[in-house]
Amino acid sequence: MSFSRRLFLQSAAALAVLPKVAWASGRDLVAQTAMQQIAPDGYPETPVWSYGGAVPGSEIRLPQGARLQRRLVNNLPQSTTVHWHGIRIDNAMDGVPGLTQDVVAPGEDFTYDFVVPDAGTYWYHAHNRSVEQVARGLYGPLIVEEADASDVDHDLTLMLDDWRLDPETAHIVDDFDNGHDQSHAGRFGNLVSVNGRFDPSYPVQSRDRLRLRLINASNARIYDLALDGLTGWIVALDGMPLDTPMAVGESFPLAPAQRADLIVDVQAESGAIANLVSREREGGFGLVRFTVSGRTAKASRSGIIPLPPNPLPQMVLDDAPLYRMTLQGGAMRWLESAQLGKTELSGRELAQLGRFWALNGHAERPSEPFLDAQQGSAHRIEFVNETAFPHAMHLHGHHFRLILSDGSLGPWRDTVLVERGQTRQIALVADNPGDWLLHCHMLGHAASGMMSWFRVT
Ligand SMILES: [Cu+2]
């Protein structure tokens, strides 16, 4: 009796000094530290932050219209949340601290429970201190399947990321709040990974048809993607099918958070290697190798069939009002002043507080929404990029259509790349009630001023 009582007290005392750790079960998404071989073989493993012990977190795959339930269990030393990027989601499940939920503290948990209305390629990632947490590896793919799978030999998800690693130790360089990065193009890595590995390769046969689901999980890097030994089409952007698939030309951009679904045919012959590459000013680099062995016995398919459309709202723009959002600040266009809360501060004062950017004169998420929309109403938003850098503007809870230069409606997206000096218009049907974030997905820019929101009631 006294022995077991003493043991109990001892373990209770021991628990009090151990860090609080929650226990996990099958439906759990456990945010935890892990070791992973990110750098090439021969380099040490990298300590990462992960969902479930690996980067990317395991692929969540479910049928269109299904319900997704995951209990986030936070075993990290920092508070976190999960954002389900591109899902037209119930607002309470959107994962934005201070707007849709409280942060999940170390040792705590939060259950996400929602329906996925659209088929396509989506992803989940941390949305608290994203500039650090996504860079440390807190992301994974979320694939919503069409009722009829596309006619392909392989369906491959490829998550692109770049890491800033110490070349000696392969540890992540932890200068996440580096003011130079934040005031310029953002945090770039020195090593690019696909699915958490450097230079991975996948076996294919000549004349195979592949569906490639490309997801850019990088903090700031815009890839300029090209195919070598493969030909094909872009069939969906940011999850949403294109009415008419676009042949992949020389190359196409993939900004942070954006996705592109490709259907490609392997043209390279047996014994050769086909590649997905990113072009850069000075040559570029390979991302993925497809090692070709043999030739498929199946008859080769000709042409391409569009993916079935998702249940997106009707877009009637007639007299939809136009809202302008001006992107301001950053290196070479330094802010003269901007608002922090109700206070107008000089650019110098803001820089001292780590704020380099503003959206319509606000260097943080303002108290009032940028747009207060009646549910079901249509709007035009014009992003005017007065800065010297590109920005990837992301709306939560909705997809929007690009308005092309001739005034016609372009593809549906959830993240639009606005190049330096460029003005881009989008068309939005505000049909999902709630408070929704609108921000730059260069995560260092979001952390240093480029945050806004809109309300739908
Ligand atoms: Cu930006």
Side-chain angles (χ1 to χ4, degrees):
M1 175 66 196
S2 62
F3 176 74
S4 62
R5 171 144 183 90
R6 202 175 67 206
L7 190 66
F8 173 76
L9 287 170
Q10 275 179 346
S11 16
L15 277 176
V17 295
L18 283 171
K20 200 170 166 192
V21 171
W23 300 100
S25 73
R27 280 267 165 104
D28 286 348
L29 191 64
V30 184
Q32 62 186 88
T33 59
M35 297 297 290
Q36 185 160 321
Q37 191 68 42
I38 306 280
D41 290 340
Y43 284 85
E45 289 187 322
T46 298
V48 296
W49 290 6
S50 74
Y51 293 116
V55 181
S58 60
E59 180 165 298
I60 299 176
R61 218 174 228 274
L62 70 177
Q64 183 173 13
R67 181 173 168 189
L68 194 161
Q69 292 167 290
R70 283 291 185 285
R71 187 174 73 117
L72 167 68
V73 178
N74 184 7
N75 284 343
L76 293 172
Q78 204 176 79
S79 296
T80 193
T81 60
V82 179
H83 172 56
W84 308 87
H85 190 115
I87 302 296
R88 298 189 297 138
I89 202 169
D90 175 4
N91 189 243
M93 298 291 126
D94 197 42
V96 180
L99 195 66
T100 70
Q101 70 167 100
D102 293 328
V103 288
V104 182
E108 302 291 331
D109 66 272
F110 182 91
T111 299
Y112 292 94
D113 184 348
F114 55 91
V115 167
V116 290
D118 304 308
T121 300
Y122 305 95
W123 62 303
Y124 58 97
H125 64 80
H127 216 297
N128 188 49
R129 225 180 124 61
S130 318
V131 66
E132 171 175 359
Q133 296 192 359
V134 173
R136 287 191 186 276
L138 284 174
Y139 59 79
L142 171 52
I143 306 301
V144 182
E145 294 175 332
E146 297 93 15
D148 297 310
S150 33
D151 175 27
V152 293
D153 301 302
H154 300 279
D155 183 336
L156 272 175
T157 303
L158 301 172
M159 257 187 131
L160 282 42
D161 191 10
D162 63 341
W163 302 75
R164 183 176 292 182
L165 300 183
D166 180 312
E168 296 294 320
T169 62
H171 283 219
I172 296 167
V173 181
D174 63 357
D175 60 342
F176 305 106
D177 299 307
N178 179 319
H180 185 272
D181 289 342
Q182 294 197 336
S183 62
H184 289 72
R187 180 188 175 86
F188 280 73
N190 53 5
L191 184 123
V192 173
S193 73
V194 177
N195 294 345
R197 284 184 297 154
F198 173 74
D199 194 28
S201 71
Y202 297 90
V204 296
Q205 291 187 296
S206 187
R207 305 299 179 266
D208 268 353
R209 178 163 277 196
L210 322 175
R211 179 168 180 173
L212 304 180
R213 300 171 182 269
L214 309 175
I215 306 171
N216 185 356
S218 309
N219 272 41
R221 185 180 291 273
I222 303 165
Y223 298 88
D224 189 25
L225 298 172
L227 302 174
D228 164 39
L230 308 162
T231 56
W233 300 263
I234 300 174
V235 293
L237 290 169
D238 295 352
M240 297 302 169
L242 301 181
D243 299 337
T244 310
M246 276 190 304
V248 176
E250 292 255 296
S251 64
F252 64 94
L254 197 70
Q258 290 187 327
R259 287 89 64 215
D261 282 48
L262 269 50
I263 302 275
V264 301
D265 293 328
V266 178
Q267 303 296 350
E269 298 297 340
S270 183
I273 293 174
N275 296 280
L276 174 70
V277 302
S278 185
R279 307 190 335 160
E280 303 263 299
R281 242 168 282 158
E282 282 139 34
F285 48 87
L287 289 164
V288 178
R289 285 176 295 136
F290 300 92
T291 51
V292 186
S293 165
R295 184 175 178 145
T296 183
K298 289 185 207 164
S300 68
R301 306 161 179 91
S302 59
I304 186 82
I305 304 165
L307 297 171
N310 281 320
L312 289 155
Q314 278 294 325
M315 185 70 72
V316 183
L317 272 183
D318 296 341
D319 46 5
L322 174 69
Y323 294 79
R324 177 163 297 139
M325 174 167 279
T326 308
L327 286 48
Q328 301 151 319
M332 296 178 271
R333 303 277 193 280
W334 303 103
L335 291 171
E336 268 178 41
S337 69
Q339 258 179 278
L340 215 52
K342 297 221 181 303
T343 317
E344 187 85 12
L345 295 177
S346 73
R348 181 180 298 267
E349 290 169 315
L350 288 163
Q352 282 164 354
L353 298 169
R355 301 299 168 106
F356 303 103
W357 307 91
L359 297 174
N360 282 358
H362 292 274
E364 66 178 5
R365 176 157 52 86
S367 55
E368 296 301 312
F370 158 72
L371 164 65
D372 196 343
Q374 201 183 0
Q375 189 178 350
S377 58
H379 307 267
R380 291 183 172 87
I381 299 173
E382 181 172 78
F383 294 110
V384 181
N385 185 355
E386 293 184 346
T387 81
F389 295 91
H391 302 284
M393 301 305 292
H394 171 47
L395 273 68
H396 284 219
H398 296 75
H399 276 64
F400 49 80
R401 292 189 75 169
L402 302 179
I403 302 179
L404 305 178
S405 49
D406 65 358
S408 65
L409 291 173
W412 290 90
R413 301 218 71 142
D414 62 44
T415 305
V416 57
L417 178 61
V418 189
E419 297 284 3
R420 59 183 287 175
Q422 196 183 32
T423 294
R424 291 207 85 162
Q425 279 195 15
I426 63 166
L428 170 73
V429 176
D431 64 346
N432 195 358
D435 290 346
W436 301 105
L437 212 59
L438 187 179
H439 65 99
C440 178
H441 222 286
M442 275 73 171
L443 300 172
H445 293 173
S448 58
M450 289 198 140
M451 279 277 194
S452 189
W453 65 292
F454 64 106
R455 171 168 284 163
V456 182
T457 45

